[in-house]
């Protein structure tokens, strides 16, 4: 497995747990075979999420020390605002303590009963915030995105026919804004092309509907555009980012992803009246507009992180690391979602464990097997997370896909770690016939995957 070397070296280290297979078996049993209940101290390689798990640079740590914790007018806010304006280009910049608060502020202001909000695919918190405000969240992604192995360079693209059909059916006056998630997290971290962004904008212009970006992984999306879209080969990351955002009216952002920080987010808009209402709401729920639920030092770390994330050498090593993990697994016959996205590899658990029926949670079985084998923690995205009882029949309804997502934190793991992950998965794959299914012993009424307790089915 070879990919471009990391354009940084290590100055601070954090020890990794050393557990034996017997200990891991006991830990998993105590956790009710639910990896959310396993203490992070007992995880060897943690691929649960890429959110808030980035390693900060020496410059960002230095930035924390020049934090100005004044209630109003902190110098770090001005640095943050200037940086966000330089990259995103929007007039109004509103800090928040994470992405979902930015969503909440935006949707509680513009979405109401009878509203429809299209997106390529809504991320869970985005959908939840639209629906909490009595709007309907509608996914309009291209069909290729829904096929696990369909090869397409921009599998995150919006399907303009679906979008236009929605506008015609529901009426432009009921669509307060259209979102575009870059990269498309819930669709496997797949990018959106500039061409598609431009065409989406053009279509929305005909109906006077604003376009907002869910920009969490914007830099990763810029990198894919440079590598895959004609005409962008020689463009800088910053100029690609500026072009993307020039087609929008604003954005929401979780800095826990491409802000390269552990906490933070923001909302941008060009709309003065909207920004004013949101700022008033911000003061009520998050804090004064020059800190928005964050410390001055956090804003400084975001300002620095947003610049670092646009370093092309960093993006090259980041995206290549994820891609190489995917290619290595694919070349050894392990079924994955293709092509690899920007931040994670998804194992196709139904193809991996064809002998386990969906009622026995194959993706959960696979996630547990990876932990038992090598202490690797991924996340089940399948029947445990999305399955539910049909209120009419009382029967369990299962989602289309059973996946284990392995999200790669930014700047955290080296190529030896990634090789260890690949080896562990391949060794589980060799012995896959011995893996058994699971049943639920306890489940909460909502969001059961976080707290469910399971047990292996004898057989
Ligand atoms: C993480 C994420 C969010 C929510 O951000 P938080 O900081 O976790 O609240 C919204 N949209 C997308 C696409 C995300 O990946």
């Amino acid at each position: 497995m070879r990919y471009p070397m990391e354009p940084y070296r290590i100055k601070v280290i954090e020890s990794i747990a050393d557990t034996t297979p017997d200990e891991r078996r006991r830990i998993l049993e105590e956790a009710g075979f639910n990896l959310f209940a396993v203490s992070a101290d007992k995880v060897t390689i943690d691929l649960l999420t890429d959110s808030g798990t980035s390693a900060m640079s020496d410059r960002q740590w230095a930035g924390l020390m020049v934090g100005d914790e004044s209630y109003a007018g902190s110098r770090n806010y001005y640095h943050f605002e200037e940086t966000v304006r330089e990259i995103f280009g929007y007039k109004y910049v509103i800090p928040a303590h994470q992405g979902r608060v930015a969503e909440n502020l935006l949707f509680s202001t513009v979405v109401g009963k009878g509203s429809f909000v299209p997106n390529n695919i809504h991320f869970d918190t985005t959908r939840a915030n639209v629906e909490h405000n009595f709007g309907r969240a509608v996914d309009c992604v291209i069909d290729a995105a829904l096929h696990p192995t369909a090869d397409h360079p921009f599998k995150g693209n919006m399907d303009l026919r679906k979008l236009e059909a929605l506008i015609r059916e529901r009426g432009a006056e009921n669509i307060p804004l259209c979102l575009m998630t870059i990269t498309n997290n819930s669709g496997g971290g797949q990018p959106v092309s500039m061409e598609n962004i431009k065409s989406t904008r053009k279509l929305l212009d005909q109906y006077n509907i604003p376009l907002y970006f869910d920009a969490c992984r914007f830099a990763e999306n810029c990198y894919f555009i440079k590598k895959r879209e004609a005409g962008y080969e020689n463009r800088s990351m910053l100029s690609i980012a500026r072009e993307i955002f020039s087609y929008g009216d604003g954005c929401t952002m979780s800095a826990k992803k491409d802000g390269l920080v552990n906490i933070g987010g923001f909302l941008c808009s060009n709309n003065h009246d909207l920004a004013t209402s949101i700022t008033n709401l911000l003061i009520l729920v998050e804090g004064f507009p020059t800190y928005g639920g964050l410390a001055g030092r956090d804003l400084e770390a975001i300002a620095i992180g947003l610049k670092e994330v646009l370093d092309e050498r960093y993006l090259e090593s980041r995206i290549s690391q994820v891609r190489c993990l995917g290619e290595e697994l694919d070349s050894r016959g392990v079924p994955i979602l293709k092509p690899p996205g920007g931040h994670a590899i998804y194992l196709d658990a139904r193809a991996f464990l064809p002998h386990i029926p969906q009622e026995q949670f194959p993706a959960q079985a696979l996630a547990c097997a990876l932990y038992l084998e090598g202490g690797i923690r991924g996340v089940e995205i399948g029947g445990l997370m999305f399955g539910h009882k049909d209120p009419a029949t009382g029967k369990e309804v299962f989602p289309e896909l059973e996946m284990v997502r392995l999200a790669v934190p930014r700047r955290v793991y080296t190529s030896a770690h990634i090789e260890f992950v690949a080896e562990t998965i391949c060794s589980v794959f060799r012995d896959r016939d011995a893996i058994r299914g699971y049943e639920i012993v306890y489940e909460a009424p909502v969001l059961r995957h976080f707290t469910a307790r399971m047990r292996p089915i004898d057989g």
Side-chain angles (χ1 to χ4, degrees):
M1 252 167 65
R2 293 192 62 82
Y3 49 88
M5 71 174 190
E6 292 80 2
Y8 46 83
R9 55 184 178 175
I10 295 166
K11 182 158 9 205
V12 175
I13 59 146
E14 185 181 0
S15 311
I16 286 180
D18 185 21
T19 52
T20 65
D22 279 346
E23 279 175 282
R24 291 197 293 273
R25 181 155 295 285
R26 184 181 50 74
I27 289 162
L28 198 57
E29 246 172 57
E30 278 170 13
F33 297 92
N34 185 338
L35 293 163
F36 281 106
V38 171
S39 146
D41 281 346
K42 303 294 180 197
V43 174
T44 311
I45 306 283
D46 205 344
L47 306 180
L48 186 65
T49 178
D50 66 320
S51 177
T53 52
S54 301
M56 291 209 297
S57 67
D58 51 355
R59 285 168 195 268
Q60 285 176 295
W61 281 101
L64 297 184
M65 285 306 294
V66 295
D68 165 8
E69 306 307 338
S70 307
Y71 191 93
S74 153
R75 65 174 164 257
N76 311 113
Y77 172 77
Y78 297 115
H79 183 205
F80 161 82
E81 182 186 51
E82 175 192 296
T83 308
V84 173
R85 280 209 187 118
E86 184 189 339
I87 299 169
F88 295 79
Y90 300 120
K91 262 197 212 131
Y92 304 101
V93 180
I94 299 165
H97 84 272
Q98 61 182 86
R100 68 197 68 185
V101 182
E103 293 168 352
N104 185 291
L105 292 165
L106 178 62
F107 300 144
S108 61
T109 308
V110 301
V111 172
K113 204 160 182 257
S115 303
F116 290 81
V117 179
N119 199 336
N120 39 4
I121 301 184
H122 286 270
F123 180 65
D124 357 2
T125 60
T126 318
R127 177 181 307 281
N129 271 300
V130 169
E131 289 173 355
H132 185 69
N133 289 291
F134 309 103
R136 292 257 295 275
V138 185
D139 295 338
C140 296
V141 77
I142 55 171
D143 286 339
L146 308 170
H147 296 288
T149 55
D151 209 6
H152 189 296
F154 293 101
K155 237 175 153 173
N157 279 356
M158 189 81 81
D159 186 324
L160 297 176
R161 277 167 313 143
K162 290 184 195 170
L163 179 58
E164 185 153 30
L166 176 81
I167 300 172
R168 291 242 171 105
E169 187 190 348
R170 302 300 184 176
E173 67 284 5
N174 295 316
I175 303 183
L177 54 81
C178 174
L179 282 168
M180 174 84 101
T181 306
I182 56 173
T183 57
N184 187 22
N185 185 3
S186 302
Q190 301 291 337
V192 179
S193 71
M194 193 73 87
E195 154 65 29
N196 187 253
I197 293 170
K198 265 197 260 188
S199 319
T200 302
R201 175 70 210 210
K202 232 190 200 153
L203 174 64
L204 295 172
D205 273 347
Q206 291 173 31
Y207 296 94
N208 245 322
I209 299 171
L211 173 63
Y212 277 69
F213 290 98
D214 181 342
C216 300
R217 296 176 183 78
F218 75 98
E220 292 173 4
N221 203 101
C222 289
Y223 180 81
F224 282 115
I225 286 177
K226 175 155 181 156
K227 290 289 152 176
R228 296 181 183 172
E229 194 162 353
Y232 291 89
E233 304 83 353
N234 299 316
R235 292 271 298 272
S236 71
M237 291 296 132
L238 177 62
S239 84
I240 296 176
R242 290 185 61 103
E243 184 179 341
I244 290 177
F245 294 117
S246 75
Y247 299 121
D249 301 282
C251 69
T252 57
M253 172 78 188
S254 167
K256 299 173 72 171
K257 285 75 172 239
D258 274 351
L260 295 177
V261 294
N262 307 116
I263 195 74
F266 54 88
L267 170 73
C268 290
S269 180
N270 278 340
N271 181 328
H272 173 267
D273 294 345
L274 179 67
T276 307
S277 316
I278 289 177
T279 301
N280 291 334
L281 193 57
L282 182 82
I283 296 171
L284 184 71
V285 299
E286 280 276 85
F288 191 72
T290 62
Y291 72 83
L294 292 164
R297 54 179 172 268
D298 297 326
L299 290 165
E300 189 63 29
I302 297 172
I304 299 168
L306 286 173
K307 285 281 178 67
E308 290 181 352
V309 82
L310 288 169
D311 171 3
E312 197 172 327
R313 287 191 312 153
Y314 153 74
L315 285 165
E316 170 99 23
S317 100
R318 154 82 176 153
I319 304 280
S320 306
Q321 190 179 44
V322 175
R323 190 191 64 236
C324 285
L325 173 60
E327 286 174 356
E328 176 71 11
L329 294 171
D330 187 37
S331 76
R332 291 164 77 169
V334 177
I336 62 165
L337 252 66
K338 287 195 273 195
H343 69 289
I345 293 299
Y346 295 72
L347 304 176
D348 178 350
R350 292 177 87 172
F352 198 113
L353 301 171
H355 59 286
I356 302 184
Q358 210 178 0
E359 308 79 69
Q360 297 183 8
F361 305 101
Q364 182 64 12
L366 179 53
C368 288
L370 298 180
Y371 180 73
L372 290 172
E373 178 72 17
I376 293 167
R377 175 157 68 174
V379 65
E380 190 258 17
I381 302 186
L384 184 60
M385 187 180 276
F386 291 124
H388 58 273
K389 289 212 170 49
D390 183 321
T393 63
K395 276 182 71 175
E396 189 83 18
V397 188
F398 289 98
E400 177 83 21
L401 293 175
E402 286 282 332
M403 298 183 293
V404 175
R405 185 186 76 176
L406 306 167
V408 182
R410 295 170 183 76
R411 305 193 295 202
V412 171
Y413 293 117
T414 66
S415 53
H417 291 126
I418 297 298
E419 268 174 38
F420 171 78
V421 170
E423 285 310 320
T424 304
I425 295 169
C426 289
S427 128
V428 170
F429 189 57
R430 272 192 301 276
D431 298 332
R432 61 191 180 279
D433 293 344
I435 297 172
R436 288 175 296 164
Y438 284 79
E439 62 190 351
I440 296 178
V441 191
Y442 161 77
E443 64 182 300
V446 286
L447 297 172
R448 64 180 183 183
H449 56 286
F450 288 122
T451 54
R453 295 188 69 81
M454 319 278 295
R455 91 177 141 227
I457 294 171
D458 295 320

